[in-house]
Amino acid sequence: MEIKGKKAVVFGGASGMGRATAELLAARGAEVAVIDRPGSDGAEVARAFAGSFLPCDITDFEQTELALAAAVEGLGGLHVVVTTAGGGTAQRTLSKSGPHDLDTFRKVLDLNVVATFNISRLAAAHMSRNEPEDEERGVIVNTSSIAAFEGQIGQVAYTAAKAGIAGMSLTMARDLGSLGIRVLAIAPSLFATGATAAIPDEATSALVKDAAFPRRMGRPEEYAKLVLAIVDNPMLNGQCLRLDAGQRFGPK
């Protein structure tokens, strides 16, 4: 899909990989709306490329529906949606303090996999109304993690959530294929975003020692470049693409 002139919404676009993606999409000629938490830098980020910002807590599923609808109305349509919002917690299945807290597990799934599915299903409904371009109506790009495949000790909730995002890509792509809507996920390794950007170099070296090349954290713009490649290439569909410099997480 040619990105110039298309309408795109980036969830989590106020910072990190989401911000880099929103900025690159706008630089390539897309009209972009940023959706992120209230109190984020979303308004400032969007203003820099003449985009729009809508505050939203993606774990409030009704609020998310309203925010996306408002973004689409403002843009005049929707061709691309990117979800980068998410997070996790460190807790073992069983520790000295007892079994993993069930409410915490549910919250991690809500923040990641349920919120991602909610956005995807709503975005697909908006995209289905588009006039097809070379039989294509839209592209959905979600964010998984290599933890989905090599979850480390204490990452059981995060692993389950990110594995859910990776796993639903093919089924969702099959569900939406007749409409000309593609669905993919990106599974990054460690990227220099948020708290990880402040990790000292000596500590970073230990975290990325298992990478093949380059042995460093990923850069947000490298995630954004893959999003653009996905949008541009219609033969990419129904899979989770690792963006990890050949790294495989060890147990801890």
Side-chain angles (χ1 to χ4, degrees):
M1 175 178 285
E2 170 60 47
I3 193 61
K4 187 175 181 180
K6 297 303 188 298
K7 322 292 186 177
V9 175
V10 180
F11 282 83
S15 62
M17 296 182 294
R19 176 175 181 168
T21 300
E23 291 173 341
L24 188 55
L25 287 169
R28 295 296 176 87
E31 295 181 49
V32 182
V34 169
I35 297 181
D36 212 317
R37 292 171 298 176
S40 70
D41 293 331
E44 181 181 348
V45 170
R47 193 180 305 118
F49 53 75
S52 58
F53 169 66
L54 294 95
C56 176
D57 174 359
I58 61 170
T59 61
D60 184 330
F61 304 129
E62 291 183 4
Q63 184 185 96
T64 300
E65 183 169 2
L66 294 173
L68 181 58
V72 174
E73 182 178 2
L75 291 168
L78 181 64
H79 300 94
V80 177
V81 69
V82 182
T83 68
T84 65
T89 186
Q91 194 173 150
R92 296 190 184 208
T93 305
L94 179 64
S95 65
K96 293 178 181 179
S97 60
H100 194 296
D101 180 68
L102 192 57
D103 188 52
T104 300
F105 188 89
R106 285 175 171 156
K107 286 179 178 178
V108 173
L109 263 67
D110 274 351
L111 174 60
N112 292 276
V113 69
V114 180
T116 294
F117 177 72
N118 186 42
I119 293 165
S120 298
R121 73 183 183 94
L122 297 170
H126 289 291
M127 291 173 179
S128 69
R129 305 183 186 110
N130 293 337
E131 286 297 319
E133 178 183 298
D134 194 20
E135 301 184 23
E136 188 172 17
R137 286 187 170 89
V139 185
I140 298 169
V141 183
N142 295 320
T143 304
S144 180
S145 165
I146 65 170
F149 311 104
E150 302 108 33
Q152 296 183 301
I153 290 171
Q155 284 189 326
V156 64
Y158 185 69
T159 291
K162 291 302 187 180
I165 293 171
M168 68 184 174
S169 298
L170 177 58
T171 303
M172 193 182 297
R174 287 173 166 172
D175 283 349
L176 301 174
S178 62
L179 297 170
I181 298 172
R182 294 186 286 122
V183 183
L184 291 101
I186 298 174
S189 55
L190 293 167
F191 270 61
T193 63
T196 61
I199 297 175
D201 289 343
E202 57 272 19
T204 299
S205 298
L207 292 171
V208 299
K209 63 182 175 59
D210 295 328
F213 177 83
R215 289 181 179 170
R216 59 166 172 79
M217 286 195 188
R219 297 165 182 158
E221 57 268 27
E222 292 167 336
Y223 176 98
K225 287 178 181 179
L226 182 52
V227 172
L228 251 67
I230 287 170
V231 173
D232 183 63
N233 193 332
M235 286 299 287
L236 287 172
N237 196 14
Q239 60 185 305
C240 182
L241 303 173
R242 295 182 67 121
L243 188 63
D244 62 7
Q247 183 170 13
R248 298 294 182 269
F249 281 154
K252 58 183 178 178

